[in-house]
Amino acid sequence: MSWFKSLRPGEKWSGIIRKGKKITIKINGTNANLGMMVFCADRKDERYNMPDTLKAQHTSMLTKGHLLMSDNGRAMVSIIEDSLGWHDPISSYTTRDSTNEQYGVTSFQTELNECKRNGEENFLMELVRQGYEKKDLGPVVNLFSKLSYDESGAITFEEDHGQSGDYIVLRTEVDSVFFFSNTPHPLSQSRHYPTAEIEWHITDAVEIGDDDLCVNHCEENRRAFENTWQDEQLAGKSNQDVFVNQ
Protein backbone atom coordinates (compact mmCIF):
# COMPACT_ATOMS: atom_id res chain seq x y z
CA MET A 1 0.00 0.00 0.00
CA SER A 2 1.36 3.45 -0.88
CA TRP A 3 -0.42 6.83 -0.95
CA PHE A 4 0.87 10.37 -1.39
CA LYS A 5 -0.66 13.77 -0.60
CA SER A 6 0.61 17.33 -0.34
CA LEU A 7 -0.87 20.52 1.10
CA ARG A 8 -0.07 24.02 -0.10
CA PRO A 9 0.04 26.83 2.50
CA GLY A 10 -3.45 27.36 3.95
CA GLU A 11 -4.81 24.02 2.75
CA LYS A 12 -6.45 21.34 4.91
CA TRP A 13 -7.28 17.64 4.73
CA SER A 14 -9.07 14.95 6.73
CA GLY A 15 -9.55 11.22 6.34
CA ILE A 16 -9.34 7.80 7.94
CA ILE A 17 -5.94 6.11 8.06
CA ARG A 18 -6.07 2.47 9.16
CA LYS A 19 -3.94 0.94 11.91
CA GLY A 20 -0.51 -0.40 11.04
CA LYS A 21 0.38 2.41 8.61
CA LYS A 22 3.52 4.54 8.48
CA ILE A 23 2.96 8.22 7.70
CA THR A 24 6.07 10.09 6.60
CA ILE A 25 5.44 13.86 6.72
CA LYS A 26 8.01 16.24 5.18
CA ILE A 27 8.22 20.02 4.80
CA ASN A 28 9.34 21.82 1.66
CA GLY A 29 10.32 25.28 2.92
CA THR A 30 10.87 27.09 6.22
CA ASN A 31 8.57 28.36 8.98
CA ALA A 32 6.18 25.48 8.38
CA ASN A 33 3.49 24.44 10.85
CA LEU A 34 1.09 21.54 10.36
CA GLY A 35 -1.77 21.47 12.89
CA MET A 36 -3.00 17.93 13.52
CA MET A 37 -6.07 16.56 15.34
CA VAL A 38 -6.68 12.81 15.76
CA PHE A 39 -9.85 10.84 16.63
CA CYS A 40 -10.46 7.10 16.88
CA ALA A 41 -12.29 6.03 13.74
CA ASP A 42 -14.44 3.33 15.35
CA ARG A 43 -15.25 5.23 18.57
CA LYS A 44 -16.53 8.70 17.82
CA ASP A 45 -16.24 9.84 21.44
CA GLU A 46 -12.60 8.73 21.81
CA ARG A 47 -9.80 11.05 20.73
CA TYR A 48 -6.26 12.29 21.38
CA ASN A 49 -5.86 13.50 24.96
CA MET A 50 -3.12 16.10 25.33
CA PRO A 51 -2.93 16.30 29.16
CA ASP A 52 -2.67 12.54 29.64
CA THR A 53 -0.16 12.20 26.78
CA LEU A 54 2.22 14.77 28.28
CA LYS A 55 1.72 13.75 31.91
CA ALA A 56 2.34 10.07 31.22
CA GLN A 57 5.55 10.74 29.28
CA HIS A 58 6.79 13.54 31.57
CA THR A 59 7.26 16.03 28.75
CA SER A 60 5.91 19.27 27.24
CA MET A 61 7.07 18.42 23.71
CA LEU A 62 6.79 15.45 21.38
CA THR A 63 9.51 13.65 19.41
CA LYS A 64 10.78 10.19 18.44
CA GLY A 65 9.75 7.55 20.97
CA HIS A 66 6.68 9.44 22.16
CA LEU A 67 3.09 8.34 21.82
CA LEU A 68 -0.27 10.09 21.35
CA MET A 69 -2.69 8.61 23.90
CA SER A 70 -6.48 8.67 23.80
CA ASP A 71 -8.79 9.78 26.58
CA ASN A 72 -9.48 6.07 27.18
CA GLY A 73 -5.78 5.40 27.88
CA ARG A 74 -5.11 3.68 24.55
CA ALA A 75 -2.15 4.07 22.21
CA MET A 76 -3.29 5.93 19.09
CA VAL A 77 -0.26 7.22 17.16
CA SER A 78 3.47 6.59 17.70
CA ILE A 79 6.32 8.87 16.62
CA ILE A 80 8.87 6.43 15.21
CA GLU A 81 11.25 8.86 13.45
CA ASP A 82 11.90 12.60 13.71
CA SER A 83 14.57 14.87 12.25
CA LEU A 84 13.71 17.87 14.48
CA GLY A 85 13.46 16.63 18.07
CA TRP A 86 10.62 18.94 19.07
CA HIS A 87 6.97 19.29 18.06
CA ASP A 88 4.54 21.52 19.99
CA PRO A 89 1.42 19.93 21.58
CA ILE A 90 0.37 22.99 23.65
CA SER A 91 -0.40 26.08 21.57
CA SER A 92 -3.68 25.30 19.76
CA TYR A 93 -4.50 27.00 16.40
CA THR A 94 -5.00 30.37 14.73
CA THR A 95 -8.41 32.05 14.34
CA ARG A 96 -9.92 34.36 11.69
CA ASP A 97 -9.41 37.43 13.93
CA SER A 98 -5.77 36.61 14.80
CA THR A 99 -4.96 35.85 11.15
CA ASN A 100 -6.52 39.12 9.91
CA GLU A 101 -4.61 41.09 12.56
CA GLN A 102 -1.25 39.52 11.74
CA TYR A 103 -1.35 39.03 7.97
CA GLY A 104 -4.00 41.54 6.84
CA VAL A 105 -7.70 41.19 6.18
CA THR A 106 -8.61 38.78 3.39
CA SER A 107 -11.76 36.84 2.53
CA PHE A 108 -12.63 34.03 0.16
CA GLN A 109 -15.22 36.29 -1.52
CA THR A 110 -12.52 38.74 -2.68
CA GLU A 111 -9.23 36.79 -2.69
CA LEU A 112 -10.64 33.31 -3.50
CA ASN A 113 -7.86 30.72 -3.01
CA GLU A 114 -5.37 33.46 -2.08
CA CYS A 115 -7.36 34.08 1.13
CA LYS A 116 -5.19 33.69 4.25
CA ARG A 117 -6.76 30.67 5.94
CA ASN A 118 -6.64 29.90 9.65
CA GLY A 119 -6.56 26.72 11.72
CA GLU A 120 -9.92 27.10 13.47
CA GLU A 121 -11.95 27.49 10.26
CA ASN A 122 -10.01 24.72 8.51
CA PHE A 123 -10.58 22.26 11.36
CA LEU A 124 -14.26 23.20 11.66
CA MET A 125 -14.90 22.59 7.95
CA GLU A 126 -13.17 19.20 8.05
CA LEU A 127 -14.89 18.18 11.31
CA VAL A 128 -18.29 18.75 9.69
CA ARG A 129 -17.20 16.75 6.63
CA GLN A 130 -16.36 13.81 8.92
CA GLY A 131 -19.63 13.99 10.90
CA TYR A 132 -18.38 15.93 13.93
CA GLU A 133 -19.50 19.27 15.37
CA LYS A 134 -17.96 22.52 16.64
CA LYS A 135 -17.93 21.13 20.19
CA ASP A 136 -15.46 18.48 18.97
CA LEU A 137 -12.73 21.07 18.39
CA GLY A 138 -9.94 20.03 20.73
CA PRO A 139 -6.19 20.06 21.31
CA VAL A 140 -3.92 19.92 18.29
CA VAL A 141 -0.31 18.90 17.81
CA ASN A 142 1.62 21.59 15.91
CA LEU A 143 4.10 19.54 13.92
CA PHE A 144 7.43 21.21 13.01
CA SER A 145 6.98 23.96 15.66
CA LYS A 146 9.00 24.58 18.83
CA LEU A 147 8.49 26.68 21.96
CA SER A 148 11.08 27.85 24.46
CA TYR A 149 10.49 28.80 28.11
CA ASP A 150 12.36 31.17 30.40
CA GLU A 151 12.64 31.02 34.20
CA SER A 152 9.54 33.22 34.62
CA GLY A 153 7.50 30.74 32.63
CA ALA A 154 7.16 33.00 29.59
CA ILE A 155 6.73 31.09 26.34
CA THR A 156 8.40 32.07 23.07
CA PHE A 157 7.79 30.59 19.64
CA GLU A 158 11.01 29.77 17.77
CA GLU A 159 10.73 31.02 14.20
CA ASP A 160 12.16 28.83 11.40
CA HIS A 161 12.54 25.79 13.66
CA GLY A 162 11.94 23.43 10.76
CA GLN A 163 14.01 23.60 7.59
CA SER A 164 13.19 22.27 4.14
CA GLY A 165 13.57 18.48 4.14
CA ASP A 166 12.82 18.00 7.85
CA TYR A 167 10.41 15.17 8.55
CA ILE A 168 8.50 13.20 11.15
CA VAL A 169 7.27 9.60 10.80
CA LEU A 170 4.10 8.45 12.56
CA ARG A 171 2.71 4.94 13.01
CA THR A 172 -1.02 4.36 13.49
CA GLU A 173 -1.86 2.02 16.39
CA VAL A 174 -5.65 2.15 15.78
CA ASP A 175 -7.89 3.12 12.87
CA SER A 176 -7.77 6.92 13.16
CA VAL A 177 -9.41 10.00 11.66
CA PHE A 178 -6.70 12.58 10.95
CA PHE A 179 -7.28 16.31 10.48
CA PHE A 180 -4.43 18.38 9.01
CA SER A 181 -4.21 22.17 8.57
CA ASN A 182 -1.18 23.78 6.91
CA THR A 183 -1.65 27.13 8.66
CA PRO A 184 0.64 29.38 10.73
CA HIS A 185 1.53 28.66 14.35
CA PRO A 186 -0.65 30.83 16.66
CA LEU A 187 2.38 32.27 18.50
CA SER A 188 4.45 33.13 15.42
CA GLN A 189 5.39 36.84 15.25
CA SER A 190 6.21 36.78 11.55
CA ARG A 191 4.19 39.13 9.33
CA HIS A 192 4.77 36.85 6.35
CA TYR A 193 2.24 34.07 5.83
CA PRO A 194 4.12 30.74 5.55
CA THR A 195 4.91 29.51 2.06
CA ALA A 196 6.07 25.95 2.83
CA GLU A 197 4.32 23.03 1.17
CA ILE A 198 3.87 19.96 3.38
CA GLU A 199 3.65 16.44 1.96
CA TRP A 200 3.04 13.02 3.42
CA HIS A 201 3.47 9.49 2.17
CA ILE A 202 1.59 6.53 3.65
CA THR A 203 2.99 3.00 3.51
CA ASP A 204 2.59 -0.20 5.55
CA ALA A 205 4.44 -0.10 8.88
CA VAL A 206 6.76 -2.85 10.05
CA GLU A 207 5.14 -5.06 12.69
CA ILE A 208 5.93 -3.97 16.25
CA GLY A 209 8.73 -5.94 17.94
CA ASP A 210 9.41 -6.42 21.63
CA ASP A 211 12.26 -3.87 21.37
CA ASP A 212 10.00 -1.13 20.01
CA LEU A 213 11.17 2.32 21.16
CA CYS A 214 7.66 3.75 21.70
CA VAL A 215 6.35 0.69 23.58
CA ASN A 216 9.37 0.69 25.90
CA HIS A 217 9.66 4.47 26.41
CA CYS A 218 8.03 4.20 29.87
CA GLU A 219 5.62 1.98 31.80
CA GLU A 220 2.73 4.27 30.96
CA ASN A 221 3.36 3.75 27.24
CA ARG A 222 3.41 -0.04 27.64
CA ARG A 223 0.10 0.04 29.49
CA ALA A 224 -1.43 2.20 26.75
CA PHE A 225 -0.28 -0.29 24.08
CA GLU A 226 -1.59 -3.23 26.11
CA ASN A 227 -4.97 -1.49 26.43
CA THR A 228 -5.10 -1.03 22.66
CA TRP A 229 -4.01 -4.58 21.80
CA GLN A 230 -6.44 -6.17 24.24
CA ASP A 231 -9.36 -4.11 22.92
CA GLU A 232 -8.43 -4.93 19.33
CA GLN A 233 -8.14 -8.65 20.09
CA LEU A 234 -11.47 -8.72 21.92
CA ALA A 235 -13.02 -7.05 18.87
CA GLY A 236 -11.36 -9.65 16.63
CA LYS A 237 -9.37 -7.02 14.75
CA SER A 238 -5.76 -7.67 15.73
CA ASN A 239 -3.09 -10.24 15.04
CA GLN A 240 -0.63 -8.35 17.23
CA ASP A 241 0.88 -10.28 20.14
CA VAL A 242 0.14 -8.67 23.48
CA PHE A 243 3.27 -7.90 25.48
CA VAL A 244 2.02 -8.48 29.02
CA ASN A 245 4.29 -8.78 32.05
CA GLN A 246 7.53 -8.48 30.09
Side-chain angles (χ1 to χ4, degrees):
M1 182 270 182
S2 181
W3 191 82
F4 176 85
K5 176 74 176 174
S6 64
L7 288 181
R8 297 189 302 273
E11 284 193 319
K12 56 188 175 44
W13 179 88
S14 67
I16 295 174
I17 301 177
R18 298 297 181 189
K19 64 170 290 188
K21 301 301 178 187
K22 185 174 77 171
I23 310 169
T24 303
I25 307 173
K26 188 177 75 170
I27 55 178
N28 297 315
T30 59
N31 202 26
N33 178 74
L34 183 65
M36 178 178 74
M37 296 175 62
V38 189
F39 293 69
C40 290
D42 58 350
R43 299 180 181 182
K44 202 167 183 178
D45 60 346
E46 185 176 3
R47 58 204 61 183
Y48 160 62
N49 185 293
M50 181 265 280
D52 286 352
T53 295
L54 302 187
K55 181 175 63 178
Q57 297 174 107
H58 312 286
T59 186
S60 61
M61 41 76 91
L62 295 172
T63 186
K64 181 179 179 179
H66 286 147
L67 172 68
L68 271 61
M69 298 180 185
S70 79
D71 44 12
N72 282 348
R74 296 202 301 163
M76 296 183 68
V77 178
S78 298
I79 302 175
I80 59 175
E81 296 291 343
D82 176 23
S83 70
L84 275 171
W86 190 303
H87 301 268
D88 163 40
I90 294 176
S91 306
S92 192
Y93 40 75
T94 53
T95 64
R96 169 50 54 200
D97 287 345
S98 67
T99 301
N100 284 348
E101 180 179 351
Q102 188 152 353
Y103 304 104
V105 176
T106 60
S107 70
F108 183 75
Q109 286 73 22
T110 55
E111 280 80 12
L112 300 177
N113 289 332
E114 298 304 314
C115 170
K116 301 293 189 295
R117 299 182 183 275
N118 64 87
E120 182 179 51
E121 291 176 345
N122 275 358
F123 284 126
L124 280 173
M125 282 188 278
E126 292 303 310
L127 282 168
V128 171
R129 285 188 64 239
Q130 299 295 338
Y132 295 90
E133 304 174 33
K134 184 176 182 178
K135 64 180 177 60
D136 294 307
L137 271 172
V140 306
V141 178
N142 284 303
L143 299 177
F144 308 109
S145 290
K146 180 179 181 180
L147 304 178
S148 60
Y149 311 88
D150 65 21
E151 293 184 354
S152 71
I155 299 174
T156 302
F157 173 74
E158 295 198 7
E159 305 284 353
D160 299 327
H161 170 56
Q163 300 296 311
S164 190
D166 276 319
Y167 63 89
I168 185 171
V169 183
L170 310 176
R171 183 181 65 210
T172 51
E173 310 301 350
V174 295
D175 294 347
S176 301
V177 188
F178 281 81
F179 298 84
F180 290 137
S181 176
N182 183 4
T183 41
H185 189 278
L187 299 182
S188 172
Q189 298 300 305
S190 173
R191 292 290 178 180
H192 301 287
Y193 197 86
T195 58
E197 184 175 281
I198 300 176
E199 62 183 44
W200 66 92
H201 185 205
I202 302 175
T203 56
D204 292 329
V206 175
E207 189 170 342
I208 295 175
D210 58 5
D211 60 346
D212 186 82
L213 182 63
C214 297
V215 174
N216 295 296
H217 179 75
C218 59
E219 287 302 313
E220 290 85 352
N221 278 23
R222 176 172 291 278
R223 286 199 292 272
F225 274 95
E226 290 171 353
N227 290 339
T228 298
W229 295 335
Q230 291 173 31
D231 283 353
E232 296 280 309
Q233 287 185 328
L234 288 172
K237 294 181 177 179
S238 175
N239 59 2
Q240 170 68 55
D241 291 333
V242 180
F243 301 152
V244 180
N245 298 325
Q246 291 189 7

